[in-house]
Amino acid sequence: MTDVGKIRYSAFISYSRTADGDLAPALQQGLQQFAKPWNRLRALRVFRDDANLSANPGLWTSLQSAMDGAEYFILLASPEAAASEWVEKEVRHWLAHKPADHILIALTDGDLRWAGDDFDRAGSPSLPPALFGAFVEEPRWVDLRDFGSDQLRLQLPAFRDKVADLAAPLHGLPKDEMLGEDVNQYARTRRLVRGAAAVLVTLTLLASAAAVVAIVQQREARAQQRIAEEQQRIAQEQQRIAVSRQLAAQAESLRTADPRTALRLGVAARAIHADTTTDASLLQTLTASRYRATVALQDSSWVTSIAYSRDGKLAAVLAHYGQALLYEVADDGTFRQVGEFHNTSGGGFAEGIAFSPDGRTLVIAGLPSSVWDITDPAHPQEAATISENNGDGSIGAVFIPGTSTLVLGGSMGTFMLYDLSSPRDPKLLSETGTDVDWITAVALDADGDTLAIGGLHGELEVWNIGQRSSPTRLVAAPKQKAAVRSLGLTPSGADVVASYEDGTVVDWYRSGTSFTRGPTVRTATTAGVTMVAVPNSTSTMTALAEADGSLTYWDLVSSLSVATRLETPRTGTRQLTPGSAGPVTLAPSGRTFASGGNDSGGERIVVWDVVHRAAPAPLGWSTNVGASDERQPALRTAARGSVLAIDTGSGVTTWLLSTEGVPTSKGPQFSGHDPVLSPDGKLIATSDGKGTVTLSSMETGTSAQVSGFVAAFSTDGGRLVTDDGVFDIGDPMRPRSVGAPLVWPSTSASASASASADEDSGGDGTRDPTTPVLVAADGRTILSADSAQYSMGGGDTWARVSVVGDDGVVRHVGRTLRADTDSPGTLALSPDGRTLTLANASGAVTLYDLTGPSAPAPFGEPIRLGGAIATGEEDGAVTVAFSQDSAMLAVAGPDSVTLWSIADRERPRVLGTPFTELGGPAVALAFSAEDRTLFAADEEGRIVGWSLAAFNQLRRDPSAQACALTGRGLEPGEWARYVTGVAYRETC
């Protein structure tokens, strides 16, 4: 840093940056270059703050030092300078330490007027106040007011003249001598330049050879620099890839325990480096979790109860020590807090909360219980306190549906009925003692006439409370060893679902005055089930919230006679501690549920979707074409058209699809079997099974015929390939044979036994005509699957990639693919022609790369339905279909269909959970144009479809969907925790 205190200056320029930001540097440059000898850098040294000061915490000290070392003070006078605190301060310092007659004034704006013995204050608005009265006689000043920014060059005579006015006193010479000296210096410089030019010519000639060498070296250096820069770019890119992969891996590890953080990490991974891996990982996180939103609570006490109003528009959250929070519930199930109050009487103990059917009253069960008017949810008002003899307080509260009658379960084995038609005056209707020592749970059936009560010592009683003033006990279940934790009744009240502290869930079926023990389920945890939500009249699902933090759904199709565990998503951003698990409550809509609990971030409520927001949605359309042992239905769709073709066994039926991919009406019928559609859906090819393939127009029904048993269109739609030849279909009604008829390699047992050979060049023309054929866009690359029995009694399914030569000979290329099963495999080609799948009867699906030099080469490990790696176990045949964009694979197994992301071919990822509406295994799958719908056919001939609209929206922009769910990306502190080596950036 320059020490300005040790430098002597000829002048110090004081000015306003606002007014003279352009003029000041030009004047400094002009003064330093005016009359400059040829052998010096400058004629004299002039100080200007921006030019002479580096970053310096002691700014004023530096300015003082510069002024103390200067001979003259040049003031660029203007109204802005006169008003500047810094200019005034500099002037005062100069006057205190230097003579006033060494102040030179350059007027740049405003006016100056000398009034005989001083400047006129009114007429000199450009003069700093400190200079009034400072001069004995009128000082030297120069008028620079008429100079624009384009005129501030020393080469212009007018500006040069003004510079000379100021330079003369600095040099101690008259102005005319200064101008002469400047001319002399200029002439001297010219002479020297001419003399030097001659020398330079000679030197230039001598340097030319060296210059050539230097240029070559410079080019080489630049090339090396470019290589170094490219290597640095590659290193930085590799670092970003590594960081993004690490974040994706962390997101995957947190999907179950902390889906919100997992989503934020997935978004960050895509922001750092978006590729097929980060895209597929985030999409899998989105489809794996039913997470909807998180509501953080400020109070440290744990959540004991969550309740929804009957219409689902309000939710109440109750904490153990009496804090109650009211939330508005949006259509998407998320919460927005609107009110808060405390049940402070009696120490604030509270265990249950319930809305009245009209949603205007809220009851908190505790010690004591309280009634609140929530007509205005933002300002709840306590209406009454219920403090009858209920022992150590009330455990549960529930309103009888459609009435103002409240049921309170007392901790000491007594339940009470209250009339709350006037919330400010609760009226006790009845108080009933039971054989339950300590009530731990209460539940009502749909009409409110049947009450179930559970106890601390495993008691379970059912009461008829139709007569509000005199309830009667109907039946008691055998006492169990563990305490009842929660209860639920089916709408009719015939079933009581009871969860116990030891983790068992029992369906008690009531018949008259006795209970029959139905299906018993032992949950994954021994800490018990915290909530049982039985279905309403339109649902068959029961939700069990387990104390380890998982939510399990059970199918109650037949009064729990069949209990089928569907899935176990986590219900919180952490695993709950057994014994202090939070409550879980289903919303009345049945679309979302809320769970309460705490983690290191404090108490919180998490909202979840019951059915994933992006799950394939049934179209509500189906048809049944029947099936036979000889032929099962086959499905075909067009890549860009709107047609679904179905092989019914007795012909081909077509359906026309809407722009959303929904079948709207039947199209034309065609004879034959094994239909295939052209990519645009305008042509259909069918086989009669006797050596003839018919090519028909979907629009006119006109047709043409070619030879062959099976057919396929090239993916560009320009060719039709059968097992007998390749045909140009530029004019579909006049197919033109391209090249010679196809000659296939031998499929004899001996050829099959050597199928592992890398190539088979030639054949005898024999081939099983019914095996499938797929054709790539070039119309010459053919994929075929065959099955052959060996003499040893075993067999393999194998597939080959072949190329059609100009001579018509089909030559196998690359290696033969084995399905390792004695059943024919399922072969599928991606629409882009780059990927082949081969599935076998043991459930393995292998993906092969058809683009590399060693094609077909497998991608990673085989996949199977449900997400497991294939083990070779016989799980039944697998059916597969590529999406039209080739980025997704539908895989159907014995009883369900699963979607897989194959954007990253090396690591296919399961998307969401398996789904099905079929009565049996799917034998055919097909995506409609633009992947709007997925169709499936079962072995009985039933065909159904699913809409993929919500799923595709998720695929289009997974980051936007994740940000909408989480509300934000990683904050700087979180970024520092999870991300290394990459600077923080906003990701949402």
Side-chain angles (χ1 to χ4, degrees), residues 625-666:
V625 298
S628 65
D629 293 338
E630 291 77 19
R631 185 174 294 275
Q632 293 176 335
L635 304 178
R636 295 290 187 272
T637 54
R640 297 181 295 276
S642 299
V643 181
L644 170 66
I646 307 169
D647 184 349
T648 66
S650 59
V652 176
T653 298
T654 63
W655 283 81
L656 304 181
L657 309 180
S658 69
T659 55
E660 291 76 27
V662 180
T664 55
S665 61
K666 283 189 175 182

Side-chain angles (χ1 to χ4, degrees), residues 162-233:
K162 298 297 183 181
V163 172
D165 283 333
L166 293 171
L170 303 185
H171 287 269
L173 295 173
K175 178 181 178 181
D176 57 348
E177 291 186 21
M178 279 301 304
L179 291 172
E181 178 65 18
D182 184 56
V183 172
N184 292 336
Q185 291 293 344
Y186 179 74
R188 184 178 295 112
T189 301
R190 290 287 301 274
R191 290 193 298 271
L192 290 170
V193 168
R194 284 194 296 270
V199 177
L200 285 175
V201 169
T202 303
L203 293 174
T204 300
L205 293 175
L206 295 174
S208 295
V212 171
V213 175
I215 290 172
V216 172
Q217 290 176 337
Q218 185 182 39
R219 288 177 178 174
E220 184 177 352
R222 288 177 178 172
Q224 292 297 326
Q225 182 181 7
R226 286 194 294 269
I227 292 173
E229 291 174 350
E230 178 64 13
Q231 289 175 339
Q232 182 181 21
R233 185 195 65 78

Side-chain angles (χ1 to χ4, degrees), residues 464-495:
N464 184 330
I465 58 172
Q467 295 294 324
R468 310 302 190 210
S469 60
S470 55
T472 57
R473 183 166 58 186
L474 297 176
V475 63
K479 185 182 293 187
Q480 304 299 299
K481 295 180 180 180
V484 175
R485 187 142 198 192
S486 56
L487 293 171
L489 276 77
T490 53
S492 66
D495 283 86

Side-chain angles (χ1 to χ4, degrees), residues 185 358 402 420 527 557 678 719:
Q185 291 293 344
D358 62 8
L420 290 186
V557 174
S678 63
R719 292 184 176 188

Side-chain angles (χ1 to χ4, degrees), residues 744-752 760 762-766 798 800 812:
W744 290 83
S746 172
T747 57
S748 65
S750 60
S752 297
D760 183 350
D764 58 6
T766 62
W798 45 269
R800 284 175 169 173
H812 296 322

